[in-house]
Amino acid sequence: MIQIAIDGPSGAGKSTVAKAVAKQLGIIYVDTGALYRTIGYYVRQKGVDPKDAAGVEALLPEIQVELKYENGTQIVSLNGEDLGDRIRTPEISMYASAVSAIPAVRTFLLETQQDIARRNSVIMDGRDIGTVILPNADVKIFLTASDECRATRRRDELVAKGMNVTYEEVLADMQKRDRDDSTRAVAPAVAAEDAILLDNSWMTPEESTEAVIRLVKEKTGK
Ligand code: DC
């Protein structure tokens, strides 16, 4: 069993790299942001302000979030329904970031994340994997890149999905979200003390993946 934690700000390429590493190593990729996005989606659907901690907390008993894997692909379901790309819009990104600052939401999702890592070898990406979820992970990487590189990548990704966004909008949203995620009181998005910092601004996705695989081999001898 192996546990690899990948944390870092949005648009650093965590999911692209983690997916490729999972495939090469034959382990499961867990996208934890999808869990917060699912809660954000429900909160929006109910018309609740995502910053209203008491209002959001009151909705949690109505929510069942499940993680499943089909042919190595993660499916997150909300009360039995797979939401697909509906959780990937810029608006839901903001909802996810807001609800993720609420301690009850983090507690609500903790067991789902730790349980999957207990039963499987995983590479898990998020903001607090190395600090809170898997503090004893075999390898911890904090993946980052310049704001400009990250915003360009995120814009290209959203445009490829048919969304009508500009570079400036994406950059502003991303910087706000990163500021909120890294300065919140609970489980802020910071590198664990024993995390290896990897700046992939000038790396291709393949180079980032190779760099992570190399670090995993160095750390684990596998
Ligand atoms: O990785 P992502 O962009 O899909 O994450 C969406 C939001 O969820 C992000 O702005 C912060 C929050 N999040 C978190 O607080 N902790 C995690 N482990 C993963 C995501």
Side-chain angles (χ1 to χ4, degrees), residues 63-95:
I63 303 179
Q64 215 183 346
V65 183
E66 264 170 2
L67 272 181
K68 276 185 309 193
Y69 288 85
E70 281 177 15
N71 304 322
T73 302
Q74 170 177 302
I75 314 244
V76 182
S77 65
L78 166 64
N79 295 336
E81 188 191 358
D82 170 14
L83 299 175
D85 272 352
R86 278 179 282 169
I87 59 170
R88 303 284 164 198
T89 65
E91 190 188 13
I92 297 300
S93 298
M94 288 300 178
Y95 269 77

PDB file of all heavy atoms in Angstrom, residues 63-95:
ATOM      1  N   ILE A  63     -27.371  15.283   2.754  1.00  0.00           N
ATOM      2  CA  ILE A  63     -26.426  15.015   1.664  1.00  0.00           C
ATOM      3  C   ILE A  63     -25.715  13.684   1.847  1.00  0.00           C
ATOM      4  O   ILE A  63     -25.168  13.394   2.914  1.00  0.00           O
ATOM      5  CB  ILE A  63     -25.355  16.138   1.583  1.00  0.00           C
ATOM      6  CG1 ILE A  63     -26.020  17.507   1.414  1.00  0.00           C
ATOM      7  CG2 ILE A  63     -24.374  15.871   0.449  1.00  0.00           C
ATOM      8  CD1 ILE A  63     -25.041  18.674   1.356  1.00  0.00           C
ATOM      9  N   GLN A  64     -25.725  12.896   0.768  1.00  0.00           N
ATOM     10  CA  GLN A  64     -24.916  11.685   0.755  1.00  0.00           C
ATOM     11  C   GLN A  64     -23.960  11.773  -0.420  1.00  0.00           C
ATOM     12  O   GLN A  64     -24.395  11.860  -1.577  1.00  0.00           O
ATOM     13  CB  GLN A  64     -25.820  10.462   0.626  1.00  0.00           C
ATOM     14  CG  GLN A  64     -25.256   9.308   1.398  1.00  0.00           C
ATOM     15  CD  GLN A  64     -26.095   8.061   1.228  1.00  0.00           C
ATOM     16  OE1 GLN A  64     -27.219   8.108   0.750  1.00  0.00           O
ATOM     17  NE2 GLN A  64     -25.526   6.946   1.610  1.00  0.00           N
ATOM     18  N   VAL A  65     -22.675  11.824  -0.099  1.00  0.00           N
ATOM     19  CA  VAL A  65     -21.668  11.920  -1.162  1.00  0.00           C
ATOM     20  C   VAL A  65     -20.929  10.591  -1.204  1.00  0.00           C
ATOM     21  O   VAL A  65     -20.437  10.115  -0.185  1.00  0.00           O
ATOM     22  CB  VAL A  65     -20.657  13.043  -0.862  1.00  0.00           C
ATOM     23  CG1 VAL A  65     -19.653  13.178  -1.999  1.00  0.00           C
ATOM     24  CG2 VAL A  65     -21.356  14.364  -0.655  1.00  0.00           C
ATOM     25  N   GLU A  66     -20.882   9.993  -2.396  1.00  0.00           N
ATOM     26  CA  GLU A  66     -20.182   8.703  -2.514  1.00  0.00           C
ATOM     27  C   GLU A  66     -19.120   8.746  -3.591  1.00  0.00           C
ATOM     28  O   GLU A  66     -19.303   9.385  -4.626  1.00  0.00           O
ATOM     29  CB  GLU A  66     -21.187   7.606  -2.853  1.00  0.00           C
ATOM     30  CG  GLU A  66     -21.655   6.875  -1.619  1.00  0.00           C
ATOM     31  CD  GLU A  66     -22.820   5.943  -1.914  1.00  0.00           C
ATOM     32  OE1 GLU A  66     -23.240   5.845  -3.092  1.00  0.00           O
ATOM     33  OE2 GLU A  66     -23.307   5.330  -0.968  1.00  0.00           O
ATOM     34  N   LEU A  67     -18.021   8.058  -3.328  1.00  0.00           N
ATOM     35  CA  LEU A  67     -16.927   7.955  -4.295  1.00  0.00           C
ATOM     36  C   LEU A  67     -16.941   6.544  -4.857  1.00  0.00           C
ATOM     37  O   LEU A  67     -16.961   5.574  -4.105  1.00  0.00           O
ATOM     38  CB  LEU A  67     -15.593   8.103  -3.554  1.00  0.00           C
ATOM     39  CG  LEU A  67     -14.996   9.476  -3.344  1.00  0.00           C
ATOM     40  CD1 LEU A  67     -13.675   9.332  -2.619  1.00  0.00           C
ATOM     41  CD2 LEU A  67     -14.786  10.160  -4.668  1.00  0.00           C
ATOM     42  N   LYS A  68     -16.916   6.459  -6.187  1.00  0.00           N
ATOM     43  CA  LYS A  68     -16.874   5.130  -6.816  1.00  0.00           C
ATOM     44  C   LYS A  68     -15.827   5.172  -7.913  1.00  0.00           C
ATOM     45  O   LYS A  68     -15.484   6.244  -8.414  1.00  0.00           O
ATOM     46  CB  LYS A  68     -18.222   4.827  -7.488  1.00  0.00           C
ATOM     47  CG  LYS A  68     -19.265   4.275  -6.568  1.00  0.00           C
ATOM     48  CD  LYS A  68     -20.513   3.885  -7.355  1.00  0.00           C
ATOM     49  CE  LYS A  68     -20.993   5.021  -8.245  1.00  0.00           C
ATOM     50  NZ  LYS A  68     -22.306   4.899  -8.817  1.00  0.00           N
ATOM     51  N   TYR A  69     -15.379   4.010  -8.324  1.00  0.00           N
ATOM     52  CA  TYR A  69     -14.406   3.953  -9.418  1.00  0.00           C
ATOM     53  C   TYR A  69     -14.900   3.036 -10.507  1.00  0.00           C
ATOM     54  O   TYR A  69     -15.264   1.896 -10.236  1.00  0.00           O
ATOM     55  CB  TYR A  69     -13.032   3.520  -8.880  1.00  0.00           C
ATOM     56  CG  TYR A  69     -12.452   4.653  -8.078  1.00  0.00           C
ATOM     57  CD1 TYR A  69     -12.775   4.813  -6.740  1.00  0.00           C
ATOM     58  CD2 TYR A  69     -11.694   5.623  -8.696  1.00  0.00           C
ATOM     59  CE1 TYR A  69     -12.333   5.914  -6.033  1.00  0.00           C
ATOM     60  CE2 TYR A  69     -11.250   6.729  -7.999  1.00  0.00           C
ATOM     61  CZ  TYR A  69     -11.570   6.865  -6.674  1.00  0.00           C
ATOM     62  OH  TYR A  69     -11.152   7.969  -5.983  1.00  0.00           O
ATOM     63  N   GLU A  70     -14.958   3.562 -11.726  1.00  0.00           N
ATOM     64  CA  GLU A  70     -15.350   2.741 -12.875  1.00  0.00           C
ATOM     65  C   GLU A  70     -14.224   2.805 -13.889  1.00  0.00           C
ATOM     66  O   GLU A  70     -13.904   3.892 -14.379  1.00  0.00           O
ATOM     67  CB  GLU A  70     -16.665   3.267 -13.478  1.00  0.00           C
ATOM     68  CG  GLU A  70     -17.867   2.816 -12.667  1.00  0.00           C
ATOM     69  CD  GLU A  70     -19.182   3.366 -13.178  1.00  0.00           C
ATOM     70  OE1 GLU A  70     -19.243   3.874 -14.311  1.00  0.00           O
ATOM     71  OE2 GLU A  70     -20.166   3.283 -12.419  1.00  0.00           O
ATOM     72  N   ASN A  71     -13.583   1.675 -14.160  1.00  0.00           N
ATOM     73  CA  ASN A  71     -12.414   1.603 -15.051  1.00  0.00           C
ATOM     74  C   ASN A  71     -11.360   2.628 -14.656  1.00  0.00           C
ATOM     75  O   ASN A  71     -10.799   3.323 -15.499  1.00  0.00           O
ATOM     76  CB  ASN A  71     -12.810   1.843 -16.518  1.00  0.00           C
ATOM     77  CG  ASN A  71     -13.886   0.887 -16.976  1.00  0.00           C
ATOM     78  OD1 ASN A  71     -13.864  -0.285 -16.590  1.00  0.00           O
ATOM     79  ND2 ASN A  71     -14.831   1.377 -17.756  1.00  0.00           N
ATOM     80  N   GLY A  72     -11.132   2.764 -13.368  1.00  0.00           N
ATOM     81  CA  GLY A  72     -10.091   3.678 -12.894  1.00  0.00           C
ATOM     82  C   GLY A  72     -10.526   5.134 -12.849  1.00  0.00           C
ATOM     83  O   GLY A  72      -9.784   5.995 -12.399  1.00  0.00           O
ATOM     84  N   THR A  73     -11.744   5.443 -13.307  1.00  0.00           N
ATOM     85  CA  THR A  73     -12.205   6.837 -13.284  1.00  0.00           C
ATOM     86  C   THR A  73     -13.083   7.066 -12.055  1.00  0.00           C
ATOM     87  O   THR A  73     -13.970   6.270 -11.760  1.00  0.00           O
ATOM     88  CB  THR A  73     -13.035   7.153 -14.552  1.00  0.00           C
ATOM     89  OG1 THR A  73     -12.202   6.887 -15.671  1.00  0.00           O
ATOM     90  CG2 THR A  73     -13.496   8.595 -14.587  1.00  0.00           C
ATOM     91  N   GLN A  74     -12.817   8.186 -11.378  1.00  0.00           N
ATOM     92  CA  GLN A  74     -13.596   8.495 -10.176  1.00  0.00           C
ATOM     93  C   GLN A  74     -14.970   9.043 -10.541  1.00  0.00           C
ATOM     94  O   GLN A  74     -15.099   9.932 -11.370  1.00  0.00           O
ATOM     95  CB  GLN A  74     -12.824   9.547  -9.362  1.00  0.00           C
ATOM     96  CG  GLN A  74     -13.625  10.143  -8.222  1.00  0.00           C
ATOM     97  CD  GLN A  74     -12.802  11.112  -7.394  1.00  0.00           C
ATOM     98  OE1 GLN A  74     -11.772  10.777  -6.839  1.00  0.00           O
ATOM     99  NE2 GLN A  74     -13.259  12.339  -7.300  1.00  0.00           N
ATOM    100  N   ILE A  75     -15.982   8.520  -9.877  1.00  0.00           N
ATOM    101  CA  ILE A  75     -17.332   9.061 -10.036  1.00  0.00           C
ATOM    102  C   ILE A  75     -17.781   9.498  -8.653  1.00  0.00           C
ATOM    103  O   ILE A  75     -17.769   8.694  -7.712  1.00  0.00           O
ATOM    104  CB  ILE A  75     -18.319   7.987 -10.544  1.00  0.00           C
ATOM    105  CG1 ILE A  75     -17.710   7.198 -11.702  1.00  0.00           C
ATOM    106  CG2 ILE A  75     -19.690   8.575 -10.824  1.00  0.00           C
ATOM    107  CD1 ILE A  75     -18.344   7.286 -13.012  1.00  0.00           C
ATOM    108  N   VAL A  76     -18.162  10.756  -8.527  1.00  0.00           N
ATOM    109  CA  VAL A  76     -18.681  11.242  -7.244  1.00  0.00           C
ATOM    110  C   VAL A  76     -20.173  11.397  -7.412  1.00  0.00           C
ATOM    111  O   VAL A  76     -20.625  12.061  -8.348  1.00  0.00           O
ATOM    112  CB  VAL A  76     -18.079  12.619  -6.881  1.00  0.00           C
ATOM    113  CG1 VAL A  76     -18.598  13.081  -5.531  1.00  0.00           C
ATOM    114  CG2 VAL A  76     -16.573  12.554  -6.847  1.00  0.00           C
ATOM    115  N   SER A  77     -20.933  10.785  -6.524  1.00  0.00           N
ATOM    116  CA  SER A  77     -22.376  10.955  -6.666  1.00  0.00           C
ATOM    117  C   SER A  77     -22.948  11.726  -5.487  1.00  0.00           C
ATOM    118  O   SER A  77     -22.465  11.645  -4.361  1.00  0.00           O
ATOM    119  CB  SER A  77     -23.066   9.599  -6.821  1.00  0.00           C
ATOM    120  OG  SER A  77     -22.904   8.847  -5.651  1.00  0.00           O
ATOM    121  N   LEU A  78     -23.975  12.510  -5.811  1.00  0.00           N
ATOM    122  CA  LEU A  78     -24.700  13.299  -4.808  1.00  0.00           C
ATOM    123  C   LEU A  78     -26.076  12.672  -4.685  1.00  0.00           C
ATOM    124  O   LEU A  78     -26.843  12.676  -5.664  1.00  0.00           O
ATOM    125  CB  LEU A  78     -24.810  14.753  -5.278  1.00  0.00           C
ATOM    126  CG  LEU A  78     -25.797  15.649  -4.541  1.00  0.00           C
ATOM    127  CD1 LEU A  78     -25.403  15.831  -3.082  1.00  0.00           C
ATOM    128  CD2 LEU A  78     -25.906  17.008  -5.226  1.00  0.00           C
ATOM    129  N   ASN A  79     -26.368  12.122  -3.532  1.00  0.00           N
ATOM    130  CA  ASN A  79     -27.639  11.429  -3.305  1.00  0.00           C
ATOM    131  C   ASN A  79     -27.976  10.492  -4.474  1.00  0.00           C
ATOM    132  O   ASN A  79     -29.084  10.492  -5.000  1.00  0.00           O
ATOM    133  CB  ASN A  79     -28.757  12.437  -3.042  1.00  0.00           C
ATOM    134  CG  ASN A  79     -28.507  13.196  -1.753  1.00  0.00           C
ATOM    135  OD1 ASN A  79     -27.802  12.706  -0.861  1.00  0.00           O
ATOM    136  ND2 ASN A  79     -29.052  14.380  -1.634  1.00  0.00           N
ATOM    137  N   GLY A  80     -26.955   9.740  -4.890  1.00  0.00           N
ATOM    138  CA  GLY A  80     -27.160   8.719  -5.915  1.00  0.00           C
ATOM    139  C   GLY A  80     -27.025   9.203  -7.353  1.00  0.00           C
ATOM    140  O   GLY A  80     -27.050   8.396  -8.277  1.00  0.00           O
ATOM    141  N   GLU A  81     -26.863  10.527  -7.545  1.00  0.00           N
ATOM    142  CA  GLU A  81     -26.793  11.049  -8.912  1.00  0.00           C
ATOM    143  C   GLU A  81     -25.372  11.505  -9.252  1.00  0.00           C
ATOM    144  O   GLU A  81     -24.743  12.234  -8.485  1.00  0.00           O
ATOM    145  CB  GLU A  81     -27.755  12.248  -9.056  1.00  0.00           C
ATOM    146  CG  GLU A  81     -27.886  12.716 -10.480  1.00  0.00           C
ATOM    147  CD  GLU A  81     -28.623  14.071 -10.610  1.00  0.00           C
ATOM    148  OE1 GLU A  81     -29.065  14.618  -9.568  1.00  0.00           O
ATOM    149  OE2 GLU A  81     -28.733  14.564 -11.728  1.00  0.00           O
ATOM    150  N   ASP A  82     -24.889  11.069 -10.418  1.00  0.00           N
ATOM    151  CA  ASP A  82     -23.565  11.503 -10.891  1.00  0.00           C
ATOM    152  C   ASP A  82     -23.731  12.875 -11.547  1.00  0.00           C
ATOM    153  O   ASP A  82     -24.470  13.011 -12.512  1.00  0.00           O
ATOM    154  CB  ASP A  82     -23.036  10.464 -11.899  1.00  0.00           C
ATOM    155  CG  ASP A  82     -21.788  10.943 -12.623  1.00  0.00           C
ATOM    156  OD1 ASP A  82     -21.178  11.935 -12.177  1.00  0.00           O
ATOM    157  OD2 ASP A  82     -21.424  10.307 -13.635  1.00  0.00           O
ATOM    158  N   LEU A  83     -23.033  13.885 -11.022  1.00  0.00           N
ATOM    159  CA  LEU A  83     -23.229  15.255 -11.522  1.00  0.00           C
ATOM    160  C   LEU A  83     -22.336  15.592 -12.714  1.00  0.00           C
ATOM    161  O   LEU A  83     -22.519  16.628 -13.354  1.00  0.00           O
ATOM    162  CB  LEU A  83     -22.973  16.266 -10.400  1.00  0.00           C
ATOM    163  CG  LEU A  83     -23.899  16.146  -9.188  1.00  0.00           C
ATOM    164  CD1 LEU A  83     -23.457  17.110  -8.103  1.00  0.00           C
ATOM    165  CD2 LEU A  83     -25.345  16.425  -9.571  1.00  0.00           C
ATOM    166  N   GLY A  84     -21.366  14.738 -13.015  1.00  0.00           N
ATOM    167  CA  GLY A  84     -20.490  14.968 -14.174  1.00  0.00           C
ATOM    168  C   GLY A  84     -19.836  16.336 -14.132  1.00  0.00           C
ATOM    169  O   GLY A  84     -19.403  16.801 -13.077  1.00  0.00           O
ATOM    170  N   ASP A  85     -19.819  17.006 -15.285  1.00  0.00           N
ATOM    171  CA  ASP A  85     -19.132  18.299 -15.391  1.00  0.00           C
ATOM    172  C   ASP A  85     -19.917  19.461 -14.797  1.00  0.00           C
ATOM    173  O   ASP A  85     -19.439  20.591 -14.816  1.00  0.00           O
ATOM    174  CB  ASP A  85     -18.810  18.602 -16.863  1.00  0.00           C
ATOM    175  CG  ASP A  85     -17.458  18.019 -17.243  1.00  0.00           C
ATOM    176  OD1 ASP A  85     -16.737  17.542 -16.344  1.00  0.00           O
ATOM    177  OD2 ASP A  85     -17.126  18.046 -18.446  1.00  0.00           O
ATOM    178  N   ARG A  86     -21.121  19.186 -14.265  1.00  0.00           N
ATOM    179  CA  ARG A  86     -21.898  20.284 -13.669  1.00  0.00           C
ATOM    180  C   ARG A  86     -21.188  20.881 -12.462  1.00  0.00           C
ATOM    181  O   ARG A  86     -21.444  22.009 -12.062  1.00  0.00           O
ATOM    182  CB  ARG A  86     -23.291  19.795 -13.267  1.00  0.00           C
ATOM    183  CG  ARG A  86     -24.255  19.783 -14.455  1.00  0.00           C
ATOM    184  CD  ARG A  86     -25.608  19.266 -14.045  1.00  0.00           C
ATOM    185  NE  ARG A  86     -25.603  17.808 -13.946  1.00  0.00           N
ATOM    186  CZ  ARG A  86     -26.588  17.089 -13.409  1.00  0.00           C
ATOM    187  NH1 ARG A  86     -27.642  17.699 -12.898  1.00  0.00           N
ATOM    188  NH2 ARG A  86     -26.519  15.782 -13.385  1.00  0.00           N
ATOM    189  N   ILE A  87     -20.250  20.119 -11.870  1.00  0.00           N
ATOM    190  CA  ILE A  87     -19.518  20.655 -10.705  1.00  0.00           C
ATOM    191  C   ILE A  87     -18.241  21.393 -11.131  1.00  0.00           C
ATOM    192  O   ILE A  87     -17.481  21.847 -10.287  1.00  0.00           O
ATOM    193  CB  ILE A  87     -19.161  19.557  -9.674  1.00  0.00           C
ATOM    194  CG1 ILE A  87     -18.290  18.455 -10.312  1.00  0.00           C
ATOM    195  CG2 ILE A  87     -20.418  18.979  -9.040  1.00  0.00           C
ATOM    196  CD1 ILE A  87     -17.694  17.477  -9.294  1.00  0.00           C
ATOM    197  N   ARG A  88     -18.005  21.514 -12.434  1.00  0.00           N
ATOM    198  CA  ARG A  88     -16.734  22.096 -12.919  1.00  0.00           C
ATOM    199  C   ARG A  88     -16.849  23.542 -13.371  1.00  0.00           C
ATOM    200  O   ARG A  88     -15.936  24.064 -13.982  1.00  0.00           O
ATOM    201  CB  ARG A  88     -16.188  21.257 -14.089  1.00  0.00           C
ATOM    202  CG  ARG A  88     -15.967  19.805 -13.751  1.00  0.00           C
ATOM    203  CD  ARG A  88     -14.727  19.590 -12.926  1.00  0.00           C
ATOM    204  NE  ARG A  88     -14.729  18.285 -12.295  1.00  0.00           N
ATOM    205  CZ  ARG A  88     -13.968  17.963 -11.261  1.00  0.00           C
ATOM    206  NH1 ARG A  88     -13.140  18.838 -10.748  1.00  0.00           N
ATOM    207  NH2 ARG A  88     -14.036  16.766 -10.722  1.00  0.00           N
ATOM    208  N   THR A  89     -17.963  24.207 -13.150  1.00  0.00           N
ATOM    209  CA  THR A  89     -18.109  25.586 -13.624  1.00  0.00           C
ATOM    210  C   THR A  89     -17.400  26.559 -12.666  1.00  0.00           C
ATOM    211  O   THR A  89     -17.192  26.242 -11.491  1.00  0.00           O
ATOM    212  CB  THR A  89     -19.604  25.987 -13.680  1.00  0.00           C
ATOM    213  OG1 THR A  89     -20.094  25.992 -12.333  1.00  0.00           O
ATOM    214  CG2 THR A  89     -20.429  25.011 -14.503  1.00  0.00           C
ATOM    215  N   PRO A  90     -17.033  27.765 -13.181  1.00  0.00           N
ATOM    216  CA  PRO A  90     -16.400  28.757 -12.303  1.00  0.00           C
ATOM    217  C   PRO A  90     -17.273  29.096 -11.088  1.00  0.00           C
ATOM    218  O   PRO A  90     -16.771  29.314  -9.981  1.00  0.00           O
ATOM    219  CB  PRO A  90     -16.228  29.976 -13.208  1.00  0.00           C
ATOM    220  CG  PRO A  90     -16.138  29.398 -14.595  1.00  0.00           C
ATOM    221  CD  PRO A  90     -17.053  28.204 -14.588  1.00  0.00           C
ATOM    222  N   GLU A  91     -18.590  29.134 -11.283  1.00  0.00           N
ATOM    223  CA  GLU A  91     -19.476  29.471 -10.161  1.00  0.00           C
ATOM    224  C   GLU A  91     -19.381  28.400  -9.062  1.00  0.00           C
ATOM    225  O   GLU A  91     -19.289  28.721  -7.873  1.00  0.00           O
ATOM    226  CB  GLU A  91     -20.923  29.597 -10.665  1.00  0.00           C
ATOM    227  CG  GLU A  91     -21.832  30.188  -9.599  1.00  0.00           C
ATOM    228  CD  GLU A  91     -23.294  30.153  -9.969  1.00  0.00           C
ATOM    229  OE1 GLU A  91     -23.664  29.457 -10.936  1.00  0.00           O
ATOM    230  OE2 GLU A  91     -24.071  30.812  -9.258  1.00  0.00           O
ATOM    231  N   ILE A  92     -19.399  27.152  -9.472  1.00  0.00           N
ATOM    232  CA  ILE A  92     -19.304  26.076  -8.471  1.00  0.00           C
ATOM    233  C   ILE A  92     -17.913  26.057  -7.822  1.00  0.00           C
ATOM    234  O   ILE A  92     -17.775  25.698  -6.651  1.00  0.00           O
ATOM    235  CB  ILE A  92     -19.698  24.702  -9.076  1.00  0.00           C
ATOM    236  CG1 ILE A  92     -21.170  24.709  -9.518  1.00  0.00           C
ATOM    237  CG2 ILE A  92     -19.456  23.560  -8.077  1.00  0.00           C
ATOM    238  CD1 ILE A  92     -22.198  24.975  -8.409  1.00  0.00           C
ATOM    239  N   SER A  93     -16.874  26.499  -8.544  1.00  0.00           N
ATOM    240  CA  SER A  93     -15.542  26.606  -7.924  1.00  0.00           C
ATOM    241  C   SER A  93     -15.617  27.539  -6.714  1.00  0.00           C
ATOM    242  O   SER A  93     -15.055  27.263  -5.647  1.00  0.00           O
ATOM    243  CB  SER A  93     -14.518  27.187  -8.908  1.00  0.00           C
ATOM    244  OG  SER A  93     -14.365  26.357 -10.024  1.00  0.00           O
ATOM    245  N   MET A  94     -16.303  28.666  -6.892  1.00  0.00           N
ATOM    246  CA  MET A  94     -16.424  29.646  -5.798  1.00  0.00           C
ATOM    247  C   MET A  94     -17.269  29.085  -4.638  1.00  0.00           C
ATOM    248  O   MET A  94     -16.937  29.277  -3.476  1.00  0.00           O
ATOM    249  CB  MET A  94     -17.070  30.941  -6.311  1.00  0.00           C
ATOM    250  CG  MET A  94     -16.146  31.751  -7.190  1.00  0.00           C
ATOM    251  SD  MET A  94     -14.640  32.230  -6.280  1.00  0.00           S
ATOM    252  CE  MET A  94     -13.748  33.088  -7.557  1.00  0.00           C
ATOM    253  N   TYR A  95     -18.346  28.398  -4.977  1.00  0.00           N
ATOM    254  CA  TYR A  95     -19.176  27.769  -3.938  1.00  0.00           C
ATOM    255  C   TYR A  95     -18.352  26.734  -3.162  1.00  0.00           C
ATOM    256  O   TYR A  95     -18.418  26.649  -1.937  1.00  0.00           O
ATOM    257  CB  TYR A  95     -20.419  27.106  -4.551  1.00  0.00           C
ATOM    258  CG  TYR A  95     -21.622  28.013  -4.608  1.00  0.00           C
ATOM    259  CD1 TYR A  95     -21.725  29.008  -5.585  1.00  0.00           C
ATOM    260  CD2 TYR A  95     -22.651  27.898  -3.680  1.00  0.00           C
ATOM    261  CE1 TYR A  95     -22.820  29.856  -5.631  1.00  0.00           C
ATOM    262  CE2 TYR A  95     -23.755  28.740  -3.719  1.00  0.00           C
ATOM    263  CZ  TYR A  95     -23.834  29.718  -4.689  1.00  0.00           C
ATOM    264  OH  TYR A  95     -24.933  30.550  -4.717  1.00  0.00           O
TER     265      TYR A  95
END
